[in-house]
Amino acid sequence: MKLRNSILAISALIVLNACDDFLEPNSKSEFVPKDAVSLNELLLGEAYLRNDLDEFNAFLNLLDDDIEASSYQEPTSGFDANKYTASFTWQPDMFEIMENANERNTNIYKSYYELILGANAVIDYLPEVSDTEENINKVKAQAYALRGFYYLNLVNLFGMPYNYAPDSLGVPLKLHSAIEESPDYLARKSVREVYTQILIDLHTAEETYLSLPENEQWNGGFRTSLPMVQLLLSRTYLYMENWDKAAYYARLVMENKNFSLQDLNEVPMTTTLDGRTVNNYISYASNKSSETIWPYGYIKDMFDWVSKYVTTTNSNTGKRMYAYFQASEGLIETFDDFDLRLTRYIVSSPKGWSDEMMYMAYGKINIEPTTIKVSQNGTTIEKDFYLPKVVTGEFGRCLRLSEAYLNYAEACAMMDSREEAAYALNTLREKRFDPEDFEEEQFDSQDELIEFVRDERRRELCFEGQRWFDLRRWGMPAITHTWHDSEAHSSTYRLEECDLMYTIPIPNEAIQKNGKLVQNPLPEKRLPISTTSK
């Protein structure tokens, strides 16, 4: 997809560093949208999380329990492990540490608000353009859908879980592109107030989509859509523990005939490379998947922080470098032996020059098999190696149909509707096993069902940016991470139950620019709870 070709003229005029004036209606900028087409281009250029915008939630996977550090390897010259350990060990000054380690674009707070500014500009311009009601509504629905999505992410990054402390501080609600007369709009609103606005935005988007012809409610592109909004409504109500509405909106998505669960049995398990048979992987963030409802984001954000250096050779040792992180043992143990997702969602690969296997945490995006020559017992041999493949026009993440089934199952489980929950779970799981290995699940108690649903979410949605948010609303359990400081030394860190770092700090840059912004309560610098020497 050539996402930016149609906005080259506009992008030359729109500069985010100076967009405060440009994006205000009635500004003196050269570009003033006159019709819905122009607004649509503005929306694409300034409000969409396109596949060329990186560093959104890039470090999020390092916070949860689906990741663990790979065994020690001698780093390349100039490598600073702090860019990883800052978030991996839940440091209260994680953003400053990452910046000092020369990791760029860590201020995701700023990045999200820049996209919100773009959506606000479009919403503010809507009354001023001349076009048909239908064309205007197409743009309106997208703008509100995007703003609701961004605020849902922001409040779950920087505010406490809704079900834990709804009246605690959330994030500022900036709902217009113009500069407000009162500075109070810069202050943080409560989590409850932010969720109220998220629902207003998403319901506005839903109602607007429903006013459009059916073929305009979803058309298979990368734009937002009615089912995307309904899935987000299901997720929002799930986070709020409004089980009835979470189930209702999930069911609407499940019954949408534009999507179907992908049967992993129909995906070829192997492919041929230079006459050899190797594992085959497909992208689950692609429109080619029948489960994809809305793709978004940069493909490197899916794997970059858990796979860096996997493609390089250490100039000091001559050894092939492998990823610093892999899927955790805890995650791997949740899969049944015959669960096809274990071989489809997570890449099994040799550690470059040894026979030890590791589970690489990037199996849901485009993977390409390659070969490397390694020295083993004095002999040079070839080994298969699987690497992320950055494909122009493809996205890193997506909203998928399977989430609707899981949202429905969880909501039904919490209402103790065991038959309905089992129906959703078994419908999904039937597509994840060979027919001869699949057995329907039955549940003798509500507690057993709830535990199974949570494990199923972990299996199905691993590395899609949802595990951290799920852990937050499920009681914020304790997590331990071990980092290998050297060949002979490891340090273990612990995120305590209900730890303050379950709500990450607001970057200092944002606080310095906004005197009304209050920092989250922060713990002391986190030190290892134990160290191990070999």
Side-chain angles (χ1 to χ4, degrees), residues 63-74:
L63 297 170
D64 64 38
D65 57 353
D66 282 350
I67 287 287
E68 66 184 25
S70 303
S71 57
Y72 179 79
Q73 59 185 325
E74 185 176 338

Side-chain angles (χ1 to χ4, degrees), residues 79-93:
F79 170 73
D80 189 342
N82 285 325
K83 65 175 64 180
Y84 297 138
T85 58
S87 53
F88 187 64
T89 62
W90 311 287
Q91 296 300 332
D93 54 347

Side-chain angles (χ1 to χ4, degrees), residues 190-481:
S190 71
V191 171
R192 189 190 305 274
E193 289 175 297
V194 177
Y195 267 82
T196 297
Q197 185 60 50
I198 292 166
L199 290 177
I200 290 172
D201 284 352
L202 294 179
H203 279 298
T204 300
E206 180 193 28
E207 293 167 5
T208 308
Y209 271 119
L210 288 171
S211 73
L212 298 173
E214 188 172 344
N215 65 342
E216 295 292 346
Q217 296 172 7
W218 183 82
N219 55 24
F222 55 85
R223 300 278 186 159
T224 65
S225 65
L226 176 62
M228 173 267 197
V229 170
Q230 291 171 335
L231 183 55
L232 285 179
L233 280 166
S234 175
R235 184 188 295 184
T236 304
Y237 282 121
L238 195 74
Y239 288 4
M240 299 174 71
E241 297 188 347
N242 186 329
W243 310 123
D244 280 326
K245 289 188 176 180
Y248 170 76
Y249 280 103
R251 190 78 190 224
L252 288 179
V253 179
M254 292 160 61
E255 293 173 349
N256 192 304
K257 298 187 183 305
N258 290 302
F259 315 103
S260 60
L261 292 170
Q262 188 158 22
D263 189 341
L264 297 190
N265 290 284
E266 297 177 358
V267 178
M269 295 295 290
T270 59
T271 190
T272 301
L273 174 68
D274 299 329
R276 296 172 297 108
T277 300
V278 297
N279 289 343
N280 185 49
Y281 296 92
I282 64 170
S283 173
Y284 290 88
S286 166
N287 278 335
K288 297 176 183 177
S289 170
S290 63
E291 295 184 10
T292 299
I293 293 174
W294 180 58
Y296 67 93
Y298 192 43
I299 196 167
K300 279 191 175 182
D301 277 357
M302 181 70 176
F303 68 81
D304 219 25
W305 282 60
V306 293
S307 70
K308 281 186 177 178
Y309 296 105
V310 76
T311 61
T312 65
T313 300
N314 188 308
S315 58
N316 298 323
T317 65
K319 290 183 177 180
R320 184 80 165 198
M321 302 296 289
Y322 52 84
Y324 279 96
F325 298 96
Q326 64 184 44
S328 69
E329 183 178 353
L331 171 62
I332 298 301
E333 288 178 347
T334 68
F335 289 93
D336 295 331
D337 291 341
F338 299 108
D339 193 325
L340 297 177
R341 291 173 293 192
L342 183 57
T343 56
R344 313 302 293 147
Y345 289 4
I346 305 172
V347 178
S348 303
S349 180
K351 285 189 175 179
W353 59 87
S354 75
D355 288 328
E356 187 179 357
M357 299 296 289
M358 66 191 301
Y359 289 98
M360 309 294 286
Y362 47 67
K364 291 183 177 179
I365 57 172
N366 246 302
I367 303 296
E368 60 179 348
T370 186
T371 58
I372 57 172
K373 293 182 178 181
V374 298
S375 179
Q376 193 171 51
N377 299 325
T379 304
T380 299
I381 62 174
E382 287 190 346
K383 281 185 177 291
D384 297 331
F385 208 80
Y386 296 90
L387 303 176
K389 182 179 182 181
V390 180
V391 180
T392 301
E394 290 204 4
F395 295 81
R397 299 183 188 275
C398 66
L399 301 186
R400 294 195 294 130
L401 175 62
S402 58
E403 183 190 345
Y405 280 84
L406 292 166
N407 291 355
Y408 185 78
E410 182 175 350
C412 290
M414 299 307 294
M415 295 185 290
D416 203 16
S417 299
R418 274 177 252 171
E419 287 188 8
E420 283 297 303
Y423 152 76
L425 291 170
N426 288 323
T427 301
L428 171 63
R429 287 172 59 82
E430 186 178 13
K431 305 296 185 180
R432 302 326 190 216
F433 288 81
D434 187 287
E436 63 185 30
D437 297 321
F438 173 70
E439 295 182 5
E440 289 197 349
E441 298 291 335
Q442 297 180 341
F443 305 96
D444 297 326
S445 70
Q446 184 184 22
D447 289 343
E448 178 190 3
L449 171 58
I450 292 172
E451 182 180 0
F452 190 93
V453 168
R454 292 180 176 181
D455 284 344
E456 190 67 14
R457 282 186 72 90
R458 187 180 189 183
R459 287 185 284 266
E460 179 64 28
L461 301 176
C462 60
F463 313 122
E464 294 187 39
Q466 298 216 45
R467 178 65 176 171
W468 179 248
F469 297 152
D470 283 345
L471 289 174
R472 282 165 39 90
R473 63 190 182 88
W474 291 339
M476 297 177 279
I479 304 173
T480 58
H481 282 169

